[in-house]
Amino acid sequence: MTEPRPIPLNALFGTDFVSLLVVVLSTDTMAEVSAKVAANVVGKRVAPRQAEMAVYYKDERVPAAQTVAEAGIGPMQFVFVDYVDD
């Protein structure tokens, strides 16, 4: 297993109008990434919901168990996080 590296990401959550700089680890899963992004927005500018969240990278939903490194997300790349409506 490789050593975790901090990776700064440009992120946007759902309908929020503020783009965020969020530092994640290369070993974080998409579930952890979505939680880190949501912590800056949900309950502040976006209402909390009892729903799953997903990370989208290059317009594709990334599986929740996949890590940042596995998804090929590098420093300052853009990710979009939102609630999943099933």
Side-chain angles (χ1 to χ4, degrees):
M1 183 172 198
T2 61
E3 190 71 25
R5 311 183 330 267
I7 298 179
L9 298 179
N10 187 1
L12 187 64
F13 187 95
T15 58
D16 193 20
F17 61 94
V18 178
S19 179
L20 305 165
L21 177 63
V22 179
V23 178
V24 299
L25 296 175
S26 58
T27 54
D28 282 349
T29 64
M30 292 304 113
E32 292 168 320
V33 170
S34 62
K36 288 181 179 183
V37 173
N40 294 283
V41 178
V42 173
K44 297 171 176 74
R45 292 182 300 277
V46 174
R49 289 175 44 193
Q50 292 296 329
E52 179 186 3
M53 290 181 278
V55 176
Y56 298 84
Y57 175 60
K58 295 185 178 179
D59 296 326
E60 297 286 331
R61 184 173 173 180
V62 184
Q66 195 169 43
T67 67
V68 173
E70 290 169 343
I73 303 172
M76 298 309 294
Q77 294 293 301
F78 176 78
V79 296
F80 178 72
V81 178
D82 203 1
Y83 290 112
V84 176
D85 292 319
D86 287 329

